[in-house]
Amino acid sequence: MKLLLVLGSDKTYNLISLYVRPLGFELIRYHNAIKAMDNLDEADPSGIIISAQDFPRHWKTIVQFVRNERAKDVCPIIILKGDNFPLEETSKAFYLGVSGIVAESLDNASEVDRLQGILSRYMPVEEKRRTRRYHTENWQRINFVFANPKDQTIITGEVKTISSGGLSFLPDYSNVMKDIMLNMELTECSLRAGDSILSPVCRLARTGRIVSMQFLSFQDKEQEILDEYLESLPLEELKYKENAEISSRL
């Protein structure tokens, strides 16, 4: 799969390369917006990333040009924004057919999650989606509890990361894990993902201060529910931040 990058900054290119090459993309970079449009058919990318910070007067033109030839579900376009990217520009971007907007600095886990999540949502990377982890935040409403198989004690804690295939978990009290052995199957688990309460069967895959759980199975269509919720997180985070910014102005 080819990913077309319209970037001026070498630092940004190196960051993008670090986070998307493991997903199996071949990177094609252009420093010139016009050349990128001229060579679109030749490059035939599976996705495009454009720096609005480097090309503030050209990114809209590129998006319109691409969308005249390639639909959103065929070729996702990600805009990298700088510090000065108002909500009005965000609205214009999505109206023109942009698939997502990510902070160019990529200086925290949620921005990296958003970048990878957009690519995973639009491209055939099923196995990569299963292993890609999302760092959790309070607004996501992700919680996990399970019962100790030996004495039925309910173990609570904080979900640190989650993927389609499992999660990492910091127990509220470290001593509650002493009777739970590596690879032990846990059948009484409850996972909250947004508005849904799921009942996975889990396996303790790694011990330590933060433990890892592998999802072995779900009831009915619960796996699909989890996958759809995880794929929605990048857009939901954008909405959350937009609402928070609006509230701060009131």
Side-chain angles (χ1 to χ4, degrees), residues 2-245:
K2 297 178 182 178
L3 195 60
L4 183 79
L5 309 179
V6 188
L7 305 171
S9 167
D10 291 336
K11 179 181 178 181
T12 301
Y13 173 79
N14 291 333
L15 283 173
I16 295 294
S17 178
L18 175 67
Y19 294 126
V20 304
R21 281 192 187 277
L23 298 180
F25 291 102
E26 173 189 349
L27 304 185
I28 304 171
R29 180 187 181 186
Y30 285 94
H31 295 80
N32 185 291
I34 304 302
K35 286 185 178 179
M37 289 188 288
D38 287 343
N39 294 325
L40 180 65
D41 288 338
E42 180 182 346
D44 191 25
S46 300
I48 299 173
I49 298 177
I50 309 167
S51 171
Q53 182 168 269
D54 294 337
F55 301 97
R57 291 181 293 178
H58 290 95
W59 69 264
K60 297 187 189 78
T61 302
I62 299 173
V63 173
Q64 289 175 304
F65 179 81
V66 173
R67 284 291 170 257
N68 284 335
E69 300 185 7
R70 297 163 187 260
K72 191 173 181 179
D73 59 344
V74 173
C75 183
I77 301 174
I78 298 173
I79 296 298
L80 302 179
K81 67 174 182 177
D83 294 333
N84 298 314
F85 197 83
L87 284 176
E88 292 79 4
E89 291 289 84
T90 298
S91 299
K92 290 177 184 177
F94 284 110
Y95 175 78
L96 292 173
V98 166
S99 307
I101 300 174
V102 178
E104 182 159 330
S105 61
L106 292 171
D107 57 357
N108 61 61
S110 64
E111 294 299 319
V112 176
D113 283 346
R114 183 184 297 113
L115 174 68
Q116 294 178 328
I118 294 166
L119 296 175
S120 298
R121 191 163 71 246
Y122 287 91
M123 299 180 184
V125 286
E126 179 63 31
E127 186 58 31
K128 298 178 183 68
R129 182 185 68 176
R130 184 165 181 79
T131 58
R132 197 177 82 78
R133 289 190 173 271
Y134 298 80
H135 294 262
T136 60
E137 298 182 38
N138 290 336
W139 63 267
Q140 294 169 342
R141 299 174 69 205
I142 295 176
N143 302 101
F144 179 72
V145 299
F146 65 98
N148 185 323
K150 293 188 176 182
D151 60 12
Q152 299 302 302
T153 299
I154 300 298
I155 298 176
T156 60
E158 178 185 0
V159 177
K160 307 299 289 185
T161 64
I162 187 169
S163 74
S164 179
L167 55 81
S168 63
F169 181 75
L170 175 63
D172 287 333
Y173 305 98
S174 58
N175 63 333
V176 298
M177 297 294 298
K178 66 180 185 301
D179 295 329
I180 303 176
M181 302 293 105
L182 191 66
N183 295 319
M184 180 177 286
E185 187 172 304
L186 306 169
T187 58
E188 297 182 58
C189 305
S190 179
L191 171 66
R192 183 186 189 108
D195 294 328
S196 301
I197 304 297
L198 313 177
S199 302
V201 174
C202 300
R203 178 182 70 86
L204 181 62
R206 189 181 70 211
T207 59
R209 190 177 73 90
I210 297 178
V211 302
S212 291
M213 299 287 184
Q214 177 188 3
F215 300 141
L216 297 179
S217 64
F218 284 90
Q219 297 179 7
D220 301 324
K221 295 185 178 182
E222 288 186 351
Q223 180 73 69
E224 295 178 21
I225 294 172
L226 176 61
D227 291 346
E228 290 175 1
Y229 177 73
L230 294 179
E231 290 177 1
S232 74
L233 287 179
L235 182 57
E236 291 301 318
E237 181 175 8
L238 178 62
K239 293 178 181 177
Y240 172 80
K241 290 186 175 179
E242 287 179 348
N243 291 335
E245 184 174 343

